[in-house]
Amino acid sequence: MRWLRPLAITALCASIAACSTSPTGRSQLLLLSDAELNAMGRQAFSQYQQELPTAGQASHRYVQCIADAIVAELPAEQRQLDWQIRVFESEQPNAFALPGGYMGVNTGMLDIATNQDQLASVVGHEIGHVLANHANERASTESATSLGLSVISSTSGMQSAGGQQLMGVLGMGAQYGIVLPFSRAHESEADVIGLDLMAQAGFDPRESVTLWENMQAATGGGGAPPAWMSTHPGQGQRIEGLQGNMDQALARYEQARSSGRMPNCPRP
Ligand SMILES: [Zn+2]
């Protein structure tokens, strides 16, 4: 039955003109409005901040410095989103980004990303999910094929079961215990976008591969894989994908450095 899904999306794309093209050229079904999604992102973000303990000022300054350097390189239209980033106190090496530009990084991720360039690859990847409208695409696809369009059209009932499910699909469901992994296609796309962004901001793109090696090493003890990794399947392929785009990223990086973009974000 798996072939039914792309078929259904193609049919919808042809009939309702809600199709868009992702930054890497995939066609996407986007049914929700940006305004609607961004408002939901903002709401979920303020909820996260109420429910989870945030880390101290030093960690916050460090992560903010990296995010600022990357956001400064975005096209004007995307730069104007309400980009915000917070560090949450949690050993789980996790990071997320919500529609609207609301991002979080756990202190556990700061232990695995051992320098500014590695952390920039995490932040770049998360920004990539936002730029490519992955939450909208996933919710639209789910709705088109299973949830039913009625869920999407009722924004009032976010506390209802359907609303909570929608929040989960959008990647905002942590507080409800519903977090769905992005697809492999979304992960690869966020990797490619993130790699380019970090390089353009003057962070060393080769460190993205080191981050994955650190992730792998962190699971060497046979424990449960870090959440960020377990929701990001296919590690070997991920590194290959990064390597495949490395020449282009290195060229961007050299260009950024020679233009004076040399971010210096001291690690606390
Ligand atoms: Zn991801």
Side-chain angles (χ1 to χ4, degrees):
M1 296 290 275
R2 277 192 158 269
W3 57 274
L4 269 175
R5 173 171 282 211
L7 207 65
I9 291 162
T10 309
L12 267 166
C13 279
S15 60
I16 61 176
C19 271
S20 177
T21 305
S22 83
T24 65
R26 287 183 310 110
S27 60
Q28 306 175 289
L29 176 67
L30 301 177
L31 294 174
L32 284 82
S33 77
D34 285 345
E36 200 171 27
L37 268 178
N38 296 353
M40 287 165 73
R42 190 181 318 120
Q43 191 192 334
F45 193 56
S46 79
Q47 214 161 332
Y48 278 129
Q49 290 179 77
Q50 281 162 26
E51 291 172 13
L52 302 170
T54 47
Q57 279 299 314
S59 308
H60 182 251
R61 267 197 302 274
Y62 172 52
V63 172
Q64 185 77 54
C65 172
I66 291 167
D68 285 348
I70 296 177
V71 168
E73 296 307 312
L74 300 180
E77 192 192 339
Q78 293 159 327
R79 202 166 53 226
Q80 72 181 9
L81 285 178
D82 185 22
W83 294 103
Q84 293 188 34
I85 192 161
R86 295 285 180 279
V87 184
F88 294 101
E89 204 61 74
S90 166
E91 283 177 11
Q92 279 283 332
N94 212 353
F96 66 85
L98 305 175
Y102 307 101
M103 297 181 283
V105 177
N106 287 353
T107 47
M109 185 60 96
L110 304 189
D111 298 332
I112 287 186
T114 56
N115 59 37
Q116 63 166 10
D117 305 277
Q118 290 172 28
L119 195 56
S121 78
V122 174
V123 174
H125 173 95
E126 293 302 329
I127 289 178
H129 279 306
V130 176
L131 297 192
N133 292 307
H134 287 163
N136 194 345
E137 184 182 5
R138 184 167 62 178
S140 303
T141 307
E142 287 293 321
S143 302
T145 54
S146 62
L147 277 179
L149 289 170
S150 58
V151 174
I152 267 184
S153 57
S154 86
T155 50
S156 55
M158 290 315 292
Q159 299 307 317
S160 69
Q164 290 184 17
Q165 198 178 354
L166 178 59
M167 289 286 266
V169 169
L170 290 168
M172 304 169 190
Q175 66 270 51
Y176 304 118
I178 313 164
V179 179
L180 300 179
F182 279 116
S183 69
R184 186 164 292 192
H186 283 174
E187 291 309 330
S188 305
E189 191 166 64
D191 278 349
V192 172
I193 298 169
L195 191 70
D196 269 354
L197 282 177
M198 72 179 288
Q200 200 175 325
F203 294 105
D204 188 341
R206 290 165 293 199
E207 289 293 320
S208 64
V209 174
T210 315
L211 173 78
W212 281 100
E213 289 165 356
N214 292 355
M215 282 269 180
Q216 258 160 343
T219 58
W228 200 69
M229 196 166 77
S230 65
T231 59
H232 293 69
Q235 281 190 80
Q237 284 179 5
R238 299 287 298 278
I239 291 179
E240 273 173 40
L242 290 166
Q243 299 284 26
N245 288 278
M246 198 55 77
D247 286 349
Q248 187 189 326
L250 276 171
R252 274 180 197 266
Y253 172 62
E254 297 303 339
Q255 204 178 352
R257 304 294 284 186
S258 58
S259 310
R261 292 197 292 279
M262 293 183 254
N264 179 22
C265 304
R267 191 165 183 260

